[in-house]
Amino acid sequence: MQRFLASEPFTFANGAIGWRPGGPMDCIGPFAKVEHCPIEGTELKRTAYATGYADTCFSIPACTKVRGKYIGGFLTVDSDGAVTFRPYKRFVERLT
């Protein structure tokens, strides 16, 4: 699942640990790999991986796994600096 190099840690306000590629070509930021990332609408915290570059300035396409099942969605950061994984509607049933 991991697509981008993750070598430099960054801690978000909610305690999630983001990893960035680092170096002069770092255009993904601390979203290459996000450990302990809360999943919106649940009490779960999982590792989420960026699957592509930002499609807007507000979200990064990403994925995670819950009980061995792929969950697609995106990562967002709120105004307090806390990161959250938001699953696409078609994957919500896999969270229960």
Side-chain angles (χ1 to χ4, degrees):
M1 268 195 322
Q2 188 167 347
R3 181 174 175 188
F4 298 98
L5 177 68
S7 61
E8 296 179 7
F10 174 83
T11 304
F12 289 96
N14 59 352
I17 301 168
W19 292 85
R20 64 180 59 161
M25 301 305 285
D26 181 0
C27 56
I28 195 73
F31 302 101
K33 175 181 175 182
V34 181
E35 299 173 326
H36 311 295
C37 184
I39 299 175
E40 181 184 52
T42 70
E43 295 295 319
L44 299 173
K45 290 187 176 188
R46 296 288 189 267
T47 299
Y49 301 93
T51 58
Y53 297 105
D55 49 358
T56 70
C57 61
F58 302 107
S59 65
I60 307 283
C63 68
T64 190
K65 279 192 173 183
V66 175
R67 292 186 283 283
K69 295 182 180 181
Y70 171 87
I71 309 290
F74 55 95
L75 295 166
T76 61
V77 178
D78 64 17
S79 60
D80 296 328
V83 67
T84 304
F85 177 79
R86 299 175 191 272
Y88 294 131
K89 288 181 183 178
R90 66 180 183 258
F91 294 113
V92 170
E93 75 230 14
R94 295 183 183 182
L95 295 172
T96 57

